[in-house]
Amino acid sequence: MSVWPAWKVRDGGGATVWFGVRLEFGDGARVDAVAVVSEGCVSIEDVRAEPALSLDDLAALADWIEGPLSEACGIGTGPDADGGEDGEDAEGGGAGAGRVRSGWPRGVEGQWLIAQKYRAAQEAGTDPVLAVMSATGHSRRRSLRLIGQARDAGFLTPRRARR
């Protein structure tokens, strides 16, 4: 994966910076994206892929580029930040694979906490996935994986049993 600064616009006391991002896969597939960094937030502005990305792959794109892009932008590069670890293996599950944001426990304890947040949101009548996203700070895709792990561990009912 390669990341390079494309252009920068200063506005008042801050600046908005655009970065070019390219992922190349072993099978010849390629993804080019333009990411924008403004006020410490990173967002994807444009994506072009050959062949076209599925919706699942598009959702995973943020996980794939999160670490290297944050490092190139100079945000979140400390030891407790997301992206400070090796996150360049796009084919191996993305930048978020195997990593939990600082402060969130791993393993069985984390799965149990995910289940607690999920059930509390269900009981309150709010979106349980958003509750897990908010609690962990992870993307929707990563939060869904964590919820699936909590289900597999037996802390939540299986999907097929739900109404």
Side-chain angles (χ1 to χ4, degrees):
M1 185 169 110
S2 56
V3 178
W4 64 94
W7 63 92
K8 183 178 200 173
V9 175
R10 295 207 177 271
D11 49 0
T16 301
V17 184
W18 284 262
F19 287 86
V21 179
R22 174 169 284 169
L23 289 100
E24 295 184 63
F25 297 86
D27 63 357
R30 187 179 81 217
V31 178
D32 292 310
V34 176
V36 181
V37 180
S38 180
E39 299 177 9
C41 295
V42 178
S43 58
I44 298 173
E45 190 168 282
D46 185 39
V47 176
R48 295 174 193 255
E50 187 62 43
L53 295 174
S54 69
L55 288 176
D56 287 340
D57 289 340
L58 186 59
L61 179 63
D63 288 337
W64 295 342
I65 68 174
E66 177 183 27
L69 185 58
S70 293
E71 188 175 312
C73 299
I75 59 172
T77 57
D80 291 334
D82 287 320
E85 297 180 28
D86 177 26
E88 294 190 39
D89 184 12
E91 293 180 73
R99 229 177 347 126
V100 177
R101 296 183 188 260
S102 64
W104 194 261
R106 296 176 182 257
V108 174
E109 183 181 356
Q111 294 165 353
W112 183 81
L113 289 172
I114 293 287
Q116 295 301 313
K117 294 290 182 185
Y118 188 94
R119 282 196 299 269
Q122 278 184 322
E123 290 170 8
T126 61
D127 186 342
V129 177
L130 287 177
V132 171
M133 289 171 61
S134 177
T136 63
H138 283 298
S139 68
R140 183 172 190 83
R141 181 176 177 87
R142 180 66 176 135
S143 294
L144 287 169
R145 283 189 203 146
L146 292 171
I147 292 166
Q149 290 171 0
R151 283 188 200 291
D152 292 345
F155 294 121
L156 293 170
T157 58
R159 284 189 81 114
R160 292 184 185 97
R162 293 187 323 177
R163 294 179 201 189

